Amino acid sequence: MSNTEIDSKYPSTAKALVFDLATKTLDVYHSNRVPVPDPIRDDHLIQVEAIALCARELEWPFLFPGALLSDNPDKQIIPGYDVAGTVITAPPASPFQPGDEVYARTYPARPGNYREFSIGRSVEMARKPHKLSWAEAASVPMSAVTAWQALYEHAGVARSSDLSSERKRILITAAAGGCGVWLVQLAKIAGLEVIAQIGSPQNDGFIRGLGATETVNHRAMSLMEWAKTHELADVVIDCRGGKTLEEAWYCIKDQGNLISIVEPPEGKRPEELKTKDVKNEFFIMYPSGQQLGEISKLIEQGSCEAVVDSVWAFPDFKGAFERLDGGHARGKVVVQIAQPVV
């Protein structure tokens, strides 16, 4: 489909939520320019159905300005880097063609997807699992791929329990959050014994249903207290940072792996554990359509499920971000971009 055909069939402007860096405010632009895909750069025009938000994402432009604006000539910050939608136009050789239903975690160097039309690239995308709704699909990419990379690339966990000679123990902090629910499910598939840190008794049955064998309610028992009376973990994956990450050092065995997706663990190492022999690292996930495709297979098989905390309408961005920043979301906060058919 040519750009002329795009212009004649689809509007040149559409709604988008834009974050103003100077005032640190969000506002809906009703006539924002629809991006024109560049097939040389593997651009696909996506009609967006739903997006998911990520904790602290409005801080990223100030923390990583070079990275977030490197492929953004208009310097326009649009939130929401998880997307589910339909391909409108595609490069001729792309595995994704017009009409395909896809989902992706797009690179934050480009504007995000809180808009009616957006851009996806094949390296980021996978086909949306048939059994998921648009909202469920939007909740998956970033959290699931982050969990995949934490376990299989950074913690050195074998993907199948058949490949592990011994049953290892893994502790996951903020286990009921967006990434935590995927860490629990993938760790269970890998045959690990899963200890899940939770924040309320109501999450106990929920997180055990996803695969946890033990829970620690941080409101009733600190991780330091837990470590004194329980077998320590071979792997700890931290999704909270701060004081929780500091206490996680007490929960890991010597020669274990401590990984955080929030901040470098070494900066939170307690003074009395300076000599503890632990491999520790912080990492930032990268979008991977290939890994997302593997996760799609697990979803279609019924081995994993999407967890949606809440779904908000396009204009309700303030409520969506308040829910996200409240720290009590179970799974992902999702925004329905397209108006549902009644």
Side-chain angles (χ1 to χ4, degrees), residues 43-64:
D43 286 352
H44 300 66
L45 184 66
I46 308 294
Q47 186 162 10
V48 179
E49 293 285 344
I51 61 105
L53 301 173
C54 179
R56 296 179 291 276
E57 70 172 83
L58 295 183
E59 298 173 16
W60 296 350
F62 306 101
L63 296 173
F64 317 106

Side-chain angles (χ1 to χ4, degrees), residues 71-142:
D71 194 7
N72 189 346
D74 294 334
K75 310 301 182 195
Q76 189 178 61
I77 301 298
I78 296 175
Y81 298 97
D82 279 330
V83 62
T86 304
V87 175
I88 301 302
T89 71
S94 171
F96 306 101
Q97 290 299 308
D100 287 348
E101 297 182 347
V102 297
Y103 66 153
R105 152 67 157 128
T106 57
Y107 274 96
R110 306 195 308 275
N113 305 294
Y114 204 131
R115 49 183 172 168
E116 293 177 303
F117 294 90
S118 193
I119 295 292
R121 292 177 179 162
S122 56
V123 71
E124 306 162 335
M125 300 190 300
R127 283 177 172 77
K128 180 182 84 68
H130 296 296
K131 68 190 304 179
L132 296 188
S133 67
W134 287 116
E136 290 170 330
S139 77
V140 172
M142 183 177 184

Side-chain angles (χ1 to χ4, degrees), residues 96-327:
F96 306 101
Q97 290 299 308
D100 287 348
E101 297 182 347
V102 297
Y103 66 153
R105 152 67 157 128
T106 57
Y107 274 96
R110 306 195 308 275
N113 305 294
Y114 204 131
R115 49 183 172 168
E116 293 177 303
F117 294 90
S118 193
I119 295 292
R121 292 177 179 162
S122 56
V123 71
E124 306 162 335
M125 300 190 300
R127 283 177 172 77
K128 180 182 84 68
H130 296 296
K131 68 190 304 179
L132 296 188
S133 67
W134 287 116
E136 290 170 330
S139 77
V140 172
M142 183 177 184
S143 295
V145 173
T146 300
W148 183 282
Q149 292 170 6
L151 286 169
Y152 304 139
E153 295 184 358
H154 296 274
V157 171
R159 280 186 54 187
S160 169
S161 57
D162 297 337
L163 302 178
S164 178
S165 57
E166 57 178 319
R167 187 170 175 83
K168 292 186 175 182
R169 286 167 60 81
I170 182 171
L171 169 66
I172 299 162
T173 69
C179 184
V181 296
W182 282 97
L183 283 164
V184 170
Q185 294 181 87
L186 294 178
K188 176 192 174 185
I189 291 171
L192 276 64
E193 186 177 342
V194 181
I195 308 123
Q197 186 204 41
I198 56 175
S200 71
Q202 290 76 17
N203 280 334
D204 187 86
F206 161 71
I207 209 70
R208 288 180 186 271
L210 293 180
T213 51
E214 183 179 340
T215 60
V216 187
N217 183 348
H218 71 79
R219 299 185 189 281
M221 175 184 286
S222 72
L223 289 179
M224 283 184 66
E225 293 171 323
W226 178 87
K228 293 175 183 176
T229 55
H230 292 77
E231 181 186 351
L232 302 184
D234 301 281
V235 177
V236 174
I237 300 182
D238 166 65
C239 303
R240 186 177 293 276
K243 182 68 173 176
T244 298
L245 178 55
E246 180 182 336
E247 292 190 351
W249 277 93
Y250 293 92
C251 303
I252 188 82
K253 294 178 181 177
D254 281 331
Q255 300 184 334
N257 287 335
L258 172 57
I259 295 157
S260 177
I261 64 170
V262 181
E263 60 181 312
E266 194 62 43
K268 293 296 181 180
R269 184 195 285 256
E271 187 64 34
E272 62 184 338
L273 300 180
K274 287 297 182 184
T275 60
K276 190 168 189 177
D277 182 15
V278 171
K279 177 186 176 185
N280 68 94
E281 63 178 311
F282 160 71
F283 81 98
I284 297 174
M285 65 84 68
Y286 61 91
S288 171
Q290 185 273 328
Q291 293 171 358
L292 188 56
E294 293 297 313
I295 291 160
S296 296
K297 294 175 187 176
L298 295 174
I299 293 171
E300 295 287 26
Q301 293 165 5
S303 302
C304 292
E305 62 184 78
V307 181
V308 175
D309 172 82
S310 51
V311 181
W312 302 78
F314 194 119
D316 297 334
F317 58 88
K318 289 182 181 178
F321 274 101
E322 285 172 4
R323 176 62 182 169
L324 184 71
D325 295 337

